[in-house]
């Protein structure tokens, strides 16, 4: 069967940007930036996006387009041995498991959207609202809705499913984001938030901040999840991978910045005396606990109906962002089963979907509903739930390892000249350019070293409660 392709470069760019733009950009980034030096953080983040993440992104896309395979197929075909095949497996199991936790979060967002539309904003803003909702039976109705929608999109395939959905949802998302930014900036005290987000304070940049910024940039671009290998395998040969990669990185950064102009002004208009340190580090805390309070407070100005409208608008925006990311991550194991077992898309989707839903239900029950699932394991000084376990193991730990292995694979197994040849297809001026030399050099040297450090530090921090980087930076007097 001939492999499907995106119909144009733009189709691929929107699909890949859809994957990259998620709750990471919309919520985690603005809070991180404002706590860690505003524009100073932004500059460093942008530097990491283009100088560390972009080469990895280009490598994944090239590997996918060259092999026309999912990650398992790509590692098997080029690796030619058991060890690389095992890495291939890892890069399919990882997105499968990340898909499970992302599905749960998307279901929460869908639930908040539904409740805001139904006029239950007051429940969402209640301090206990989140805990009650994630442990309610209603949740499973929303899960059915999200799973149904995801299936509907993925069943359409690359062109009629993924590309069609993202070419509608992504432009809508941009327009909605800009509309919300404009609205929020008109609120009283909004400029205080803008100031916090944009005034640079380089004294806040510590070793820890650098580490956090890099990890955030890396994960936010959907790297090391097999997504860009899989989507890359659907790019046409005459499309320019390099300029598409730059566009995707740029769009993701742009959304993150716009979102900063939304979240922080909103927080300050809610409470001009707010201490930035009060803002939750976690996206979950911000989206599901803090922001609903802000929306409800708008009722003083625009009434309950108006406040519910703005809240629904915001959750719809986040829901679109989450759906396009969810679709991209589930496509990885789906493509692997289709390629590897020769199954039809529909059969691959049903078998995988069933397994995923079972795991998502188990995760959803691990927030207190079933005791042993909620306290399944203790490590690093904390008791963890089934959901935490998936998050820690796959998102936090295995992702940087996958990234590291990918760099080594591309440069030392597939070899630089093959990577160059693939990147030069559809891009006549690439050969001999600065970027070509930079990509080759960085992927073979300092990028894998940085990823190795992040990996080791994460393992030590999460499982042993020992943060190697903090100790190191304070020993050299750099906090
Ligand atoms: N860019 C996504 C985000 O920021 O939320 C990263 C992502 C995470 C994509 C998980 C897909 C996914 F399943």
């Amino acid at each position: 069967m001939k492999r499907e392709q995106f119909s144009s470069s733009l189709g691929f760019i929107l699909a890949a940007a859809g994957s990259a733009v998620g709750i990471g950009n919309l919520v985690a980034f603005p809070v991180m930036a404002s706590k860690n030096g505003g524009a100073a953080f932004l500059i460093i983040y942008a530097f990491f996006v283009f100088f560390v993440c972009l080469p990895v992104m280009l490598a994944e896309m090239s590997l996918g387009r060259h092999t026309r395979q999912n990650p398992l197929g790509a590692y098997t075909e080029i690796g030619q041995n058991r060890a690389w095949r095992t890495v291939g497996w890892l890069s399919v199991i990882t997105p499968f498991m990340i898909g499970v936790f992302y599905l749960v979060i998307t279901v929460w967002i869908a639930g908040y959207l539904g409740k805001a539309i139904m006029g239950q904003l007051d429940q969402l803003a209640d301090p206990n609202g989140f805990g009650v909702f994630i442990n309610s039976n209603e949740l499973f109705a929303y899960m059915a809705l999200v799973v149904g929608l995801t299936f509907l999109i993925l069943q359409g395939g690359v062109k009629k499913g993924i590309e069609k959905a993202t070419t509608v949802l992504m432009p809508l998302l941009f327009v909605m984001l800009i509309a919300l930014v404009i609205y929020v900036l008109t609120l009283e005290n909004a400029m205080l938030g803008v100031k916090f987000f944009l005034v640079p304070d380089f004294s806040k940049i510590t070793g820890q901040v650098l580490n956090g910024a890099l990890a955030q940039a890396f994960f936010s671009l959907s790297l090391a999840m097999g997504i860009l290998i899989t989507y890359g395998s659907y790019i046409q040969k005459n499309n320019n991978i390099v300029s598409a990669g730059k566009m995707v990185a740029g769009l993701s950064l742009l959304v993150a910045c716009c979102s900063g102009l939304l979240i922080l002004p909103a927080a300050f208009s809610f409470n001009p005396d707010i201490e930035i340190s009060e803002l939750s580090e976690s996206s979950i805390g911000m989206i599901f606990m803090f922001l609903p309070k802000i929306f409800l407070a708008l009722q003083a100005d625009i009434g309950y109906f108006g406040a519910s409208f703005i809240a629904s608008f915001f959750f719809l925006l986040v829901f679109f962002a989450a759906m396009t990311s969810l679709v991209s991550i589930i496509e990885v194991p789906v493509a692997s089963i289709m390629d590897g077992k020769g199954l039809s898309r529909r059969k691959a989707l049903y078998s995988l979907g069933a397994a995923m839903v079972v795991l998502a239900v188990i995760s959803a029950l691990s927030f207190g509903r079933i005791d042993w699932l909620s306290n399944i394991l203790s490590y690093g000084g904390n008791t963890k739930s089934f959901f935490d376990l998936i998050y820690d193991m796959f998102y936090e730990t295995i992702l940087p390892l996958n990234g590291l292995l990918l760099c080594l694979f591309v440069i030392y197994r597939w070899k630089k000249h093959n990577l160059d040849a693939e990147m030069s297809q559809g891009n006549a001026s690439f050969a001999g350019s600065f970027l070509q030399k930079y990509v080759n050099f960085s992927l073979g040297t300092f990028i894998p070293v940085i990823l190795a450090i992040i990996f080791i530090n994460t393992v030590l921090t999460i499982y042993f409660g020992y943060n190697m980087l903090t100790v190191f930076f304070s020993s050299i007097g750099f906090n």
Side-chain angles (χ1 to χ4, degrees):
M1 216 167 53
K2 205 172 163 308
R3 198 173 191 77
E4 272 202 89
Q5 295 193 337
F6 288 114
S7 60
S8 64
S9 208
L10 182 67
F12 164 75
I13 291 171
L14 289 176
S19 174
V21 172
I23 54 178
N25 308 54
L26 289 176
V27 188
F29 174 83
V31 177
M32 221 183 216
S34 51
K35 283 192 172 174
N36 298 312
F41 182 90
L42 218 111
I43 293 167
I44 288 167
Y45 184 87
F47 176 85
F48 284 152
V49 164
F50 288 102
F51 288 90
V52 181
C53 299
L54 184 63
V56 181
M57 183 186 261
L58 296 177
E60 288 201 32
M61 286 158 50
S62 307
L63 184 62
R65 186 170 73 173
H66 175 78
T67 56
R68 291 266 178 249
Q69 291 265 13
N70 66 86
L72 174 58
Y75 276 104
T76 308
E77 184 183 309
I78 294 177
Q80 296 283 337
N81 66 30
R82 251 239 177 88
W84 284 121
R85 191 172 160 78
T86 310
V87 177
W89 270 108
L90 200 62
S91 41
V92 171
I93 294 171
T94 309
F96 174 80
M97 295 306 283
I98 292 180
V100 170
F101 102 76
Y102 214 74
L103 171 61
V104 175
I105 296 180
T106 309
V107 169
W108 294 344
I109 295 168
Y112 268 50
L113 170 62
K115 283 175 160 293
I117 292 176
M118 289 185 300
Q120 297 167 2
L121 183 59
D122 48 350
Q123 280 178 32
L124 302 182
D126 185 284
N128 298 320
F130 180 59
V132 171
F133 173 67
I134 64 172
N135 283 317
S136 67
N137 290 336
E138 232 180 326
L139 186 87
F140 298 102
Y142 287 107
M143 191 179 283
L145 181 86
V146 171
V147 170
L149 270 176
T150 311
F151 268 49
L152 212 66
I153 296 175
L154 283 176
Q155 207 164 85
V158 176
K159 233 181 242 168
K160 295 209 189 93
I162 300 172
E163 184 175 337
K164 203 165 156 192
T166 44
T167 37
V168 174
L169 296 181
M170 291 312 286
L172 258 176
L173 184 146
F174 293 130
V175 173
M176 288 171 72
L177 181 61
I178 291 171
L180 264 183
V181 168
I182 293 174
Y183 169 69
V184 167
L185 290 181
T186 62
L187 297 176
E188 211 175 325
N189 297 316
M191 286 307 146
L192 287 176
V194 176
K195 207 176 112 208
F196 238 101
F197 179 52
L198 288 181
V199 172
D201 178 358
F202 280 94
S203 71
K204 290 264 174 64
I205 305 293
T206 62
Q208 267 315 304
V209 170
L210 291 181
N211 182 38
L214 180 59
Q216 166 72 11
F218 196 80
F219 301 145
S220 178
L221 287 169
S222 298
L223 301 181
M225 303 188 194
I227 295 173
L228 293 167
I229 299 180
T230 309
Y231 276 11
S233 74
Y234 306 136
I235 308 178
Q236 295 178 16
K237 278 285 180 197
N238 58 357
N239 289 162
N240 183 337
I241 284 189
V242 178
S243 57
K246 286 183 197 158
M247 277 294 278
V248 174
L251 281 174
S252 161
L253 190 62
L254 188 70
V255 169
C257 291
C258 287
S259 186
L261 295 176
L262 167 68
I263 305 281
L264 291 153
F268 275 87
S269 82
F270 170 65
N271 176 5
D273 298 322
I274 200 164
E275 288 284 336
I276 276 289
S277 58
E278 282 172 36
L279 296 182
S280 158
E281 280 286 355
S282 86
S283 313
I284 305 289
M286 282 297 288
I287 299 187
F288 299 108
M289 293 178 225
F290 185 73
L291 293 175
K293 270 196 300 198
I294 296 189
F295 294 130
L296 187 65
L298 289 175
Q299 68 178 336
D301 273 350
I302 50 178
Y304 189 76
F305 182 80
S308 302
F309 177 80
I310 297 286
S312 310
F313 201 80
F314 174 78
F315 284 114
L316 187 63
L317 170 86
V318 183
F319 181 64
F320 286 168
M323 277 306 291
T324 47
S325 297
L326 183 64
V327 160
S328 74
I329 201 135
I330 300 183
E331 174 66 9
V332 181
V334 168
S336 307
I337 294 199
M338 285 169 62
D339 294 342
K341 298 252 178 282
L343 284 189
S344 69
R345 179 169 274 278
R346 182 182 284 256
K347 283 209 179 108
L349 255 175
Y350 282 119
S351 44
L352 254 173
M356 219 168 214
V357 168
V358 170
L359 288 172
V361 170
I362 297 178
S363 309
L365 295 173
S366 75
F367 294 96
R369 273 189 116 164
I370 296 187
D371 218 34
W372 67 272
L373 283 176
S374 312
N375 307 295
I376 203 160
L377 218 58
S378 277
Y379 50 80
N382 299 304
T383 302
K384 302 283 183 156
S385 67
F386 183 75
F387 180 88
D388 295 333
L389 199 65
I390 297 185
Y391 182 83
D392 284 353
M393 265 181 73
F394 291 94
Y395 204 71
E396 296 269 22
T397 315
I398 298 187
L399 273 192
L401 177 65
N402 275 349
L404 161 67
L405 293 169
L406 177 96
C407 296
L408 299 179
F409 180 71
V410 165
I411 297 295
Y412 298 108
R413 183 78 200 187
W414 188 33
K415 302 278 192 264
K416 290 177 183 171
H417 62 274
N418 289 315
L419 171 65
D420 284 343
E422 193 57 48
M423 286 192 293
S424 303
Q425 283 253 2
N427 183 1
S429 59
F430 186 67
S433 65
F434 167 76
L435 188 60
Q436 181 221 336
K437 296 190 186 100
Y438 180 75
V439 169
N440 272 322
F441 173 74
S442 60
L443 284 176
T445 52
F446 64 89
I447 297 182
V449 172
I450 293 176
L451 290 170
I453 295 174
I454 295 188
F455 170 65
I456 295 169
N457 191 49
T458 312
V459 171
L460 291 176
T461 310
I462 296 186
Y463 305 99
F464 301 96
Y466 175 80
N467 192 321
M468 170 182 90
L469 286 178
T470 313
V471 175
F472 171 72
F473 286 124
S474 59
S475 73
I476 58 170
F478 187 50
N479 278 323

